[in-house]
Amino acid sequence: MARIAFILLCHKDPEAIIRQAERLTAAGDYMSIHFDARAKPSHFQQIRTALKDNPNVVFARKRIRCGWGEWSLVQATLNAVETAVHAFPRATHFYMLSGDCMAIKTAEYAHEFLDSEDCDYVESFDYFDSDWIKTGWKEERLIYRHWFNERTQKRRFYGMFELQKRLGLTREIPQDIQVMIGSQWWCLRRRTIEWILEFTRQRRDVMRFFRTTWIPDETFFQTLVRHLVPEDEIRTRTLTFLLFTDYGMPVVFYNDHYDMLLSQDFLFARKISPEARELKARLGALYASEDVEFKISNEGRSLFKFLSGRGRIGRRFATRFWETESTLGRERELMIIVCKKWHVAKRLLAKIRQVTNIPAIEYLFNEESTPIPDLGGIQSTLGKRTRHRRALMRMLFDYYETDRLIVCMDPNNIDLLHDFCGDRSVTRLLEVQCGFTDDYLIGHAKRVGLAGDQTPRETLERLLPTIRQDITFEIDRIRDADFENHHRIRESDSPYDNADRIARFLTIPEDKALEIAQTDHLFAD
C-alpha cells in the first residue's frame, strides 16, 4: 500500500502547521518539514516542541533562508527530501505541499489512487514550445545568470541583467537536458526521488546551471523527472487543485467551496483562506475518514473561468484595420439568426433552406465542426474565422454566388453582431426567444463543462440562477444595442404571429413564412 512522505515548505502560522502534520500523519503517512530560516525562531521552536514526540515527523537537517524566485526554494526542498528519504524507508511516494494546502480526499482514497498506477505526477511542459509562461521573461530566465532576488534587491537584479546583456554574457543550456516547466506541486515515487538525488551528486554542471536560473522551482524537478523517467511513467498534471486569476494570483478558497473542492479530481487543494475556519475544520476531519464516496465532476476550472469572466463580457481589443476598412458590399444582405438553443436554430435553418433555397450556414463562429467550404485556410479554426470575419463572409458570398446569406450566432457574440450590423451591407437579425427549464439549464451546464454528472444537486441549484441570469444578460445586451432590422419570434407566440416576423426577416411571402413557422417540434428540446 502507498505510504506518503509529505514535503512541507512553510514559513508562518505555526498552529496550522502543527494541525496539518498531526492530521496527515495520523493516517500512517509521514512528513518532512522545512521551516524558512527567515521566519521567527519562536515559531519554529513552537512547531518542534509540539511535534517532537511524533515519530512520523522530521525536520530538514539544514534550514535555509528562502526567497521567491531563488534557488533557495529548490535547495530547501532537496534538504527536506533527503531527510525524508533517510528517515522513512517505507515511504513509497513523496508529495510536495505548502502550509496553505489541505487534503480534499481521504487518506484511504489517496493511497488507493496512488496504488492504482505506477507513475509520477508532475507538470512537465516544454519550456520553449509551451505557453506555460504567459507574460514576462522566458529565454532570459535561462541564458543569463541571476544571483540577486528581484523582489528584495531590485536594482542589483536588473543591473546585473543589463550588464550581462550589454556585454553579451549569455550561457549555454546543458546540451543533454531538455528544460521543462510546470507547477512545483508534484508527487513522485521513491525510485524517482532517489534517481534525482543521485543526479544532483553526479551532475555538478547541471546544478550550477539551475543555481543561477531565475524561478528554478518551476523548472528543476520538472526537467529532471523528464530526463530520468520514461515518458510513459509520467502524468503531466499535479494532484493539487489550484487556480490562478488573469493577473497570476492564486485563487483563495472559502467556506462555501467545500462541495466543489471534494468533487475535483485532485487529492489536495491550494490555497485555503486562513479565515475559512469552517472549511478548514471540515477538511481537517476528512483525511482520516473511511468509506467516503467521492463523486468526481471536475468542473472547478471551467466554473471559475465562467463566473470570473462574466464581468468582462463585451470587452475586446481594437478592431483590425482590415475589418474597419472593408465591407461586405452595399448590395448584399446578411441575415443572422440569434438563438441560445442551437438545436432550435439549426432546425429553423434547415426549414428555411428547404423553403427558400437561400444559402445558410449554422454556428460558424461557435462550432469548429460547422460544415464550411474550403476558403484557403481562413475557415480552418474558430480563431481565424473570428479575426477575419468580414473577409470570411465576403468569401462565402462569392463562393455561393449570392447576395443573400443566412448564418446562426450565439447571443454571446455581441461584438460580431455590432461589427456586422455596423457594415454598409443590409444586416437583419432574427432573435429566437426560447423558454429555459431547470433541466435544460442543467444539461447546458454539463455540455459546456460548468458541471458534471456527479456534481451535487446543491451546487447545481446555486449555479442555475447565475446561468439563467447570464442568458438574460446576453439577450438584454442585444436589445439594448437597438440594432436596425431586429425581429423576434417567441416560443410562446402562435405560428401566425411568428410567421409575420419571419416574412419581414427573410422578405418572403406570408404563406412561405407560415410554412417555416409551423415546422414540427421547432422549439422542442
Side-chain angles (χ1 to χ4, degrees):
M1 184 183 75
R3 299 287 294 274
I4 307 170
F6 293 104
I7 308 301
L8 180 65
L9 264 58
C10 48
H11 65 280
K12 61 180 181 179
D13 201 352
E15 291 85 1
I17 299 304
I18 293 167
R19 288 194 297 270
Q20 187 181 39
E22 290 174 341
R23 283 193 300 263
L24 297 180
T25 57
D29 290 318
Y30 312 105
M31 180 172 287
S32 178
I33 300 175
H34 181 280
F35 196 75
D36 195 338
R38 294 178 187 271
K40 294 181 179 180
S42 60
H43 286 177
F44 179 60
Q45 190 57 47
Q46 180 182 350
I47 297 171
R48 290 206 67 143
T49 301
L51 299 174
K52 65 179 181 179
D53 296 325
N54 190 329
N56 286 4
V57 175
V58 294
F59 295 86
R61 293 174 182 172
K62 183 178 180 180
R63 293 170 59 212
I64 59 176
R65 299 165 64 89
C66 297
W68 185 88
E70 295 179 3
W71 168 256
S72 55
L73 286 174
V74 178
Q75 188 61 62
T77 305
L78 288 171
N79 291 351
V81 166
E82 284 186 299
T83 302
V85 167
H86 289 101
F88 308 125
R90 297 180 62 189
T92 61
H93 293 77
F94 294 75
Y95 196 121
M96 182 78 173
L97 283 181
S98 77
D100 297 318
C101 298
M102 287 198 73
I104 56 175
K105 297 291 186 294
T106 62
E108 182 180 64
Y109 182 99
H111 295 157
E112 290 177 358
F113 181 93
L114 295 176
D115 280 334
S116 66
E117 197 170 7
D118 186 22
C119 62
D120 296 306
Y121 296 91
V122 57
E123 283 191 348
S124 181
F125 304 101
D126 186 276
Y127 187 90
F128 294 101
D129 292 342
S130 72
D131 63 346
W132 205 86
I133 298 176
K134 303 297 182 185
T135 59
W137 285 356
K138 193 167 189 177
E139 186 180 31
E140 292 87 347
R141 290 195 194 184
L142 306 179
I143 65 173
Y144 296 106
R145 297 167 180 82
H146 304 279
W147 291 282
F148 303 104
N149 187 289
E150 191 266 346
R151 293 188 175 182
T152 60
Q153 299 171 295
K154 192 177 291 288
R155 290 184 62 182
R156 290 181 177 180
F157 179 88
Y158 286 107
M160 286 301 301
F161 168 72
E162 292 297 337
L163 180 62
Q164 292 178 81
K165 189 176 178 181
R166 193 177 305 120
L167 298 177
L169 298 177
T170 60
R171 61 175 178 175
E172 294 289 332
I173 298 171
Q175 293 185 356
D176 64 328
I177 67 169
Q178 178 183 6
V179 179
M180 311 298 286
I181 192 167
S183 166
Q184 70 180 107
W185 311 111
W186 40 254
C187 178
L188 304 177
R189 295 167 296 175
R190 185 181 193 91
R191 184 188 67 179
T192 302
I193 287 291
E194 290 172 345
W195 284 350
I196 290 174
L197 294 178
E198 181 63 25
F199 185 91
T200 64
R201 291 187 284 267
Q202 293 182 354
R203 293 296 302 272
R204 297 300 179 186
D205 59 322
V206 175
M207 298 299 286
R208 283 194 299 272
F209 171 78
F210 277 109
R211 281 194 179 98
T212 51
T213 294
W214 183 231
I215 320 182
D217 54 297
E218 294 180 351
T219 55
F220 180 78
F221 287 97
Q222 298 78 354
T223 299
L224 265 59
V225 172
R226 186 68 65 172
H227 182 75
L228 298 169
V229 178
E231 185 173 0
D232 61 357
E233 296 181 20
I234 301 173
R235 301 295 172 265
T236 308
R237 56 161 296 189
T238 174
L239 297 181
T240 298
F241 180 62
L242 65 162
L243 297 171
F244 288 93
T245 67
D246 290 347
Y247 303 101
M249 300 299 293
V251 174
V252 178
F253 300 111
Y254 295 92
N255 291 334
D256 56 349
H257 289 128
Y258 179 79
D259 290 329
M260 184 273 287
L261 290 176
L262 263 61
S263 66
Q264 305 312 301
D265 188 20
F266 296 86
L267 304 184
F268 282 76
R270 181 180 187 271
K271 293 183 161 186
I272 308 299
S273 169
E275 287 77 35
R277 294 182 178 86
E278 179 186 345
L279 177 61
K280 285 191 167 188
R282 297 178 73 182
L283 292 178
L286 178 67
Y287 194 69
S289 301
E290 296 181 353
D291 299 324
V292 179
E293 182 180 351
F294 295 95
K295 297 180 179 179
I296 306 300
S297 54
N298 218 32
E299 78 284 4
R301 296 189 190 281
S302 55
L303 186 59
F304 172 75
K305 184 178 180 181
F306 166 71
L307 293 174
S308 61
R310 293 173 70 247
R312 304 181 183 88
I313 294 174
R315 300 182 183 180
R316 56 165 295 188
F317 295 106
T319 54
R320 281 77 171 179
F321 70 89
W322 62 79
E323 296 172 342
T324 56
E325 298 181 6
S326 62
T327 178
L328 304 185
R330 292 182 183 275
E331 73 286 356
R332 285 173 167 164
E333 295 180 40
L334 177 62
M335 291 162 279
I336 304 174
I337 297 175
V338 181
C339 184
K340 195 65 181 180
K341 289 188 176 181
W342 294 4
H343 59 281
V344 174
K346 292 177 180 180
R347 205 174 289 146
L348 178 64
L349 198 66
K351 190 66 174 181
I352 291 174
R353 280 198 199 101
Q354 178 185 336
V355 173
T356 67
N357 207 31
I358 300 173
I361 302 174
E362 295 172 357
Y363 287 86
L364 74 167
F365 295 108
N366 302 100
E367 284 189 302
E368 196 95 58
S369 59
T370 299
I372 301 179
D374 186 352
L375 302 173
I378 194 174
Q379 82 297 335
S380 58
T381 66
L382 289 178
K384 284 187 177 181
R385 296 176 202 173
T386 303
R387 285 196 302 273
H388 308 297
R389 48 186 168 271
R390 291 198 184 185
L392 172 69
M393 209 62 71
R394 287 200 309 272
M395 294 172 76
L396 288 171
F397 275 109
D398 292 339
Y399 178 86
Y400 289 109
E401 298 180 348
T402 183
D403 288 333
R404 308 189 76 204
L405 184 67
I406 308 172
V407 298
C408 295
M409 290 190 193
D410 191 278
N412 67 9
N413 295 134
I414 187 68
D415 56 334
L416 298 179
L417 296 177
H418 275 293
D419 200 3
F420 287 126
C421 289
D423 192 77
R424 286 175 286 185
S425 63
V426 177
T427 304
R428 287 194 289 275
L429 305 183
L430 180 65
E431 178 191 333
V432 183
Q433 184 176 327
C434 306
F436 298 96
T437 64
D438 285 352
D439 287 341
Y440 174 81
L441 292 179
I442 290 172
H444 171 73
K446 292 178 180 179
R447 284 189 293 275
V448 299
L450 299 178
D453 292 336
Q454 304 299 329
T455 300
R457 185 72 193 186
E458 307 81 58
T459 302
L460 291 173
E461 288 175 356
R462 290 199 299 269
L463 183 60
L464 285 179
T466 304
I467 298 176
R468 192 180 296 278
Q469 181 184 8
D470 200 61
I471 292 174
T472 302
F473 174 68
E474 291 175 353
I475 295 171
D476 285 344
R477 282 192 307 162
I478 294 173
R479 295 176 187 174
D480 292 341
D482 197 24
F483 294 123
E484 290 187 39
N485 303 317
H486 181 186
H487 309 279
R488 186 180 304 120
I489 64 173
R490 299 180 177 87
E491 182 175 358
S492 57
D493 289 351
S494 71
Y496 295 95
D497 291 332
N498 288 335
D500 176 64
R501 297 150 194 164
I502 292 172
R504 284 185 279 132
F505 170 68
L506 295 172
T507 59
I508 59 174
E510 286 281 349
D511 58 334
K512 289 190 173 184
L514 182 60
E515 184 180 351
I516 294 169
Q518 290 178 328
T519 300
D520 291 339
H521 312 296
L522 176 58
F523 292 97
D525 289 334

